[in-house]
Amino acid sequence: MMMMMMMMMVGVQALVSAGVCFASVLCPRVEGEKKAAQRGMLVNLKWGDYVEAAYPYMERDRWVMNAAFLAGGLSGGVCGYFRAKGTAYVPAWFLIVCGESSWGCALGMLSAFSVPFVVAYARNLHHKIMSN
């Protein structure tokens, strides 16, 4: 049971990375960042786990890193509350379809994706405004 929970968390954590990367796709800070972020986001959404894609974006901004940590904890709490169990290294939609608690998986994924996305997007937009 605990192993299944841990595997579900690995799958959800890929969405934390996807949220950070998606913010850099929509609002890149520097030229050329969009393509790298898009690749990381697509790998996370299609194949399940490439959290390393978000590291460059998290390391340059403390707010984004803290939002990623917060989202990981929040999504873990949501998955634990709903007893959402699944497996890791699968596409994101697969966890919703084949997990034991579809609503729990979906809410955990939403919290994992949305928190770092909103913070990273706001920080990227702030950086663009301040640099102009």
Side-chain angles (χ1 to χ4, degrees):
M1 171 99 121
M2 184 57 96
M3 185 58 136
M4 288 294 284
M5 205 56 179
M6 295 296 285
M7 291 172 72
M8 173 63 190
M9 287 310 304
V10 171
V12 170
Q13 298 313 316
L15 288 168
V16 172
S17 176
V20 172
C21 290
F22 188 51
S24 293
V25 168
L26 294 182
C27 186
R29 279 194 187 189
V30 294
E31 190 72 30
E33 179 177 277
K34 182 177 182 173
K35 188 172 183 175
Q38 188 174 22
R39 180 178 174 271
M41 180 195 67
L42 290 176
V43 169
N44 276 315
L45 294 177
K46 288 183 179 180
W47 290 287
D49 191 26
Y50 181 47
V51 295
E52 295 83 4
Y55 286 173
Y57 314 114
M58 292 184 344
E59 287 178 359
R60 74 175 174 207
D61 194 321
R62 181 181 330 170
W63 286 87
V64 175
M65 182 174 289
N66 288 332
F69 291 149
L70 176 67
L74 181 63
S75 64
V78 169
C79 289
Y81 179 78
F82 287 102
R83 290 180 168 62
K85 292 182 261 180
T87 186
Y89 308 109
V90 296
W93 60 267
F94 190 78
L95 291 172
I96 296 173
V97 173
C98 296
E100 286 192 16
S101 172
S102 295
W103 282 108
C105 289
L107 290 174
M109 291 173 158
L110 181 65
S111 62
F113 184 88
S114 61
V115 172
F117 168 74
V118 169
V119 172
Y121 186 84
R123 295 294 292 175
N124 289 351
L125 191 60
H126 177 263
H127 182 267
K128 279 182 129 177
I129 291 170
M130 296 309 267
S131 65
N132 287 335

